[in-house]
Amino acid sequence: MNDHSTTYTSTEYRTPDGAPTDIVVFTITSTEKAGAKKSLPIRALEVMLIKRKQWPFEGKWALPGGFTKETETVRQCAERELMEETGVSGVHLDYFNVYSAPGRDPRGWMISHAFFALVQEAYVASRRTSDEAADVRLIPVEEALEMDLAFDHGTILSDALDKIRQHMMTTTIAREFLPERFTMSELYQVIQTVVPSFQERNFIRKITSTQSRRGIIEEVRNAEGQPLMSNQYSQRPAQLYRFTDYTPELSIYG
Amino acid sequence: MNDHSTTYTSTEYRTPDGAPTDIVVFTITSTEKAGAKKSLPIRALEVMLIKRKQWPFEGKWALPGGFTKETETVRQCAERELMEETGVSGVHLDYFNVYSAPGRDPRGWMISHAFFALVQEAYVASRRTSDEAADVRLIPVEEALEMDLAFDHGTILSDALDKIRQHMMTTTIAREFLPERFTMSELYQVIQTVVPSFQERNFIRKITSTQSRRGIIEEVRNAEGQPLMSNQYSQRPAQLYRFTDYTPELSIYG
DNA sequence: TGAATAGTGTCTATCAGACACTATAGG
DNA sequence: CCTATAGTGTCTGATAGACACTATTCA
């Protein structure tokens, strides 16, 4: 419905006005329960948003991100912008989609590359504001989904959430939200925080004593071969586990 | 190592010289065995390549693709270029990665968006050459991987192959290579053609009589409820099946 | 001893994996 | 009756899902 009348010479093409990246930074915050002394914390999935200081969408909340430079890949751009805007670095960063609908950015023709990052709460404690942002804040995802975000960031956030839910069930990205050593309850809580519908009554047993899943996680032992335990969240000490570097291959056919 | 000395004003940024798409078109070709009269065909996974007529990489084989216009999404661009360059339309098209390494395209700063397409052999029978391509051809993937393709298309092809192998095992994309109604042998052959390591000795039984997998495929029956059979590939007629619109959710945790 | 979490015993129906076996129809 | 593919019988050990039960430690 447009410029088929123009001559077909490649040098006459209009070129994009920029190749931005947007990063959906997820973290799981832990809050101790009020009453009990030793109990599992309340966990919540939150996303990092920045309040814009400039046109366009001045005053609206947006995902961190920025423009790719000629000398870097879009991944390097995402890493750099994440560091510049939120002070977060060295984290798990996954590319998941491109957003190219005409008119999605009032500044011009912008094709944006979206990443999600999974970071531990401690990593974002030292976050800071930058030139471009009036405020950086962690917002519970359910709340963020209801907000009227800048650009098409509502769609991007929603897509990112779908992706990490799928990855949470099919890969070992849960490790990104956990310390090196963790208990089964912690793992179970993390999975449930990201995927609320997840429920396994015999979770511990399935992970530890099922041959086909043996290998994704292993018990942590000390030099003498004694199992290492933690009583951080419970009276009775719980076995500590760690992820191995093995990820099982899934199949719908068997 | 670069332009940190320049002033930090957004209007001074260099902008990309284009946002191309590249499409990895996979098809499975079937060849009848010479000797036998009724037997399963030999199937091969092939990829569509175009011989370039222009600088850069003139004379080299490349993936079909082209430049995104201001008025379309990258997906629409991929659909359009696929139609223009190969005559293929209305097929399964999945976005899988972005390629943005500086210097990947001698024409300038090009951030390319890669799709894979799954098409039936019949769809590509009517393929044609275009202005830009001297030749369009299906090449067996193993052969194509050995070739010195234009740009970083070797990497893109390799990545695409990884992706469809993973999708073949975890989604029902096998349907894109099959007719509406198919036999278990055909399905098994298609899976094996894409993922040679796949092997299930009790394949039929697992698909049809396992509760947890019941639902991805169903028997085809006629109006009277009689099972529909095919003896296209065998003396003994085989039950015909079709995919349902159900895709199971996989999990490494149970 | 109660609270809070960790973990086991045990039962049944189902499933995986292996292998031998029967079934169908054309030539 | 041979061949090529389709499909079943049957065995063992492993697993899923349910629920009741025991274990550990601190306050």
Side-chain angles (χ1 to χ4, degrees), chain A residues 197-231:
Chain A
S197 63
F198 178 75
Q199 207 184 338
E200 283 296 334
R201 303 183 59 139
N202 293 337
F203 184 69
I204 297 179
R205 170 181 279 149
K206 280 176 107 159
I207 298 293
T208 55
S209 72
T210 303
Q211 278 204 349
S212 58
R213 262 177 297 274
R214 201 178 287 160
I216 77 170
I217 275 168
E218 64 187 6
E219 293 181 4
V220 181
R221 294 167 178 279
N222 65 14
E224 290 82 48
Q226 299 300 318
L228 282 177
M229 317 291 278
S230 158
N231 65 343

Side-chain angles (χ1 to χ4, degrees), chain A residues 131-142:
Chain A
D131 293 340
E132 295 145 86
D135 199 0
V136 184
R137 199 174 293 174
L138 289 175
I139 313 273
V141 281
E142 294 304 327

Side-chain angles (χ1 to χ4, degrees), chain B residues 19-243:
Chain B
T21 59
D22 291 302
I23 306 111
V24 187
V25 184
F26 290 106
T27 196
I28 292 184
T29 58
S30 299
T31 316
E32 282 176 26
K33 275 197 201 107
K37 30 251 129 191
K38 285 212 173 181
S39 65
L40 291 166
I42 296 165
R43 296 179 194 260
L45 183 64
E46 310 206 330
V47 62
M48 191 178 279
L49 296 179
I50 289 181
K51 195 165 198 174
R52 292 186 58 83
K53 289 167 75 175
Q54 303 180 331
W55 180 89
F57 300 106
E58 186 177 345
K60 283 210 175 179
W61 292 91
L63 297 170
F67 290 96
T68 307
K69 297 179 181 176
E70 196 187 354
T71 51
E72 67 187 2
T73 63
V74 292
R75 175 175 296 275
Q76 287 164 346
C77 169
E79 288 166 355
R80 179 178 53 73
E81 291 289 346
L82 197 53
M83 183 62 198
E84 288 177 8
E85 296 196 348
T86 70
V88 170
S89 71
V91 299
H92 182 95
L93 205 58
D94 259 11
Y95 178 65
F96 72 92
N97 210 355
V98 61
Y99 295 86
S100 59
R104 59 172 294 281
D105 189 322
R107 292 169 296 189
W109 180 17
M110 303 291 184
I111 295 177
S112 182
H113 302 93
F115 292 78
F116 64 79
L118 305 182
V119 314
Q120 300 207 31
E121 196 175 5
Y123 273 65
V124 294
S126 61
R127 62 188 183 272
R128 60 187 169 82
T129 57
S130 75
D131 292 341
E132 295 145 86
D135 199 0
V136 184
R137 199 174 292 175
L138 289 175
I139 312 274
V141 281
E142 294 305 327
E143 199 175 313
L145 286 169
E146 306 270 297
M147 293 166 64
D148 179 30
L149 302 181
F151 306 100
D152 49 4
H153 289 188
T155 304
I156 297 176
L157 170 60
S158 174
D159 291 353
L161 189 56
D162 288 348
K163 285 283 176 189
I164 67 158
R165 283 187 171 146
Q166 196 202 319
H167 281 224
M168 182 61 58
M169 300 316 298
T170 57
T171 74
T172 57
I173 55 163
R175 74 206 308 160
E176 306 298 331
F177 287 131
L178 287 166
E180 165 75 16
R181 299 161 174 187
F182 53 87
T183 65
M184 281 295 158
S185 292
E186 289 183 276
L187 172 57
Y188 189 75
Q189 270 204 324
V190 163
I191 298 172
Q192 274 213 322
T193 302
V194 176
V195 187
S197 63
F198 178 75
Q199 208 184 339
E200 283 296 337
R201 302 184 59 138
N202 294 336
F203 183 69
I204 297 179
R205 169 180 280 147
K206 281 176 105 158
I207 297 292
T208 56
S209 70
T210 304
Q211 278 204 351
S212 58
R213 262 179 295 273
R214 201 177 288 162
I216 77 170
I217 274 168
E218 64 187 6
E219 293 182 1
V220 182
R221 296 169 177 279
N222 65 13
E224 291 82 46
Q226 300 299 320
L228 282 178
M229 318 291 279
S230 158
N231 66 342
Q232 186 180 1
Y233 300 119
S234 60
Q235 314 293 9
R236 174 172 175 176
Q239 175 66 50
L240 287 169
Y241 293 87
R242 71 162 74 91
F243 278 101

Side-chain angles (χ1 to χ4, degrees), chain A residues 74-177:
Chain A
V74 293
R75 174 174 297 275
Q76 286 163 347
C77 168
E79 287 166 355
R80 180 178 51 74
E81 290 288 344
L82 197 53
M83 183 61 198
E84 288 176 9
E85 297 196 347
T86 70
V88 170
S89 73
V91 299
H92 182 95
L93 204 58
D94 257 10
Y95 179 65
F96 71 92
N97 210 355
V98 62
Y99 294 86
S100 58
R104 59 172 294 281
D105 190 321
R107 291 170 296 188
W109 180 16
M110 303 292 185
I111 295 177
S112 181
H113 302 92
F115 292 77
F116 64 80
L118 304 183
V119 314
Q120 300 205 32
E121 196 175 4
Y123 272 65
V124 294
S126 62
R127 63 188 183 272
R128 59 186 170 82
T129 58
S130 75
D131 293 340
E132 295 145 86
D135 199 0
V136 184
R137 199 174 293 174
L138 289 175
I139 313 273
V141 281
E142 294 304 327
E143 198 176 313
L145 286 168
E146 307 269 297
M147 293 165 66
D148 179 31
L149 302 180
F151 307 100
D152 49 3
H153 289 188
T155 304
I156 297 176
L157 170 59
S158 173
D159 291 352
L161 189 56
D162 288 348
K163 284 283 176 191
I164 67 157
R165 284 188 170 145
Q166 196 202 317
H167 281 224
M168 183 60 57
M169 300 315 299
T170 57
T171 75
T172 57
I173 55 162
R175 74 207 306 161
E176 305 299 331
F177 287 131

Side-chain angles (χ1 to χ4, degrees), chain A residues 39-40 185 205 233-234 236 239:
Chain A
S39 65
L40 292 166
S185 293
R205 170 181 279 149
Y233 299 120
S234 60
R236 175 174 173 174
Q239 175 65 50

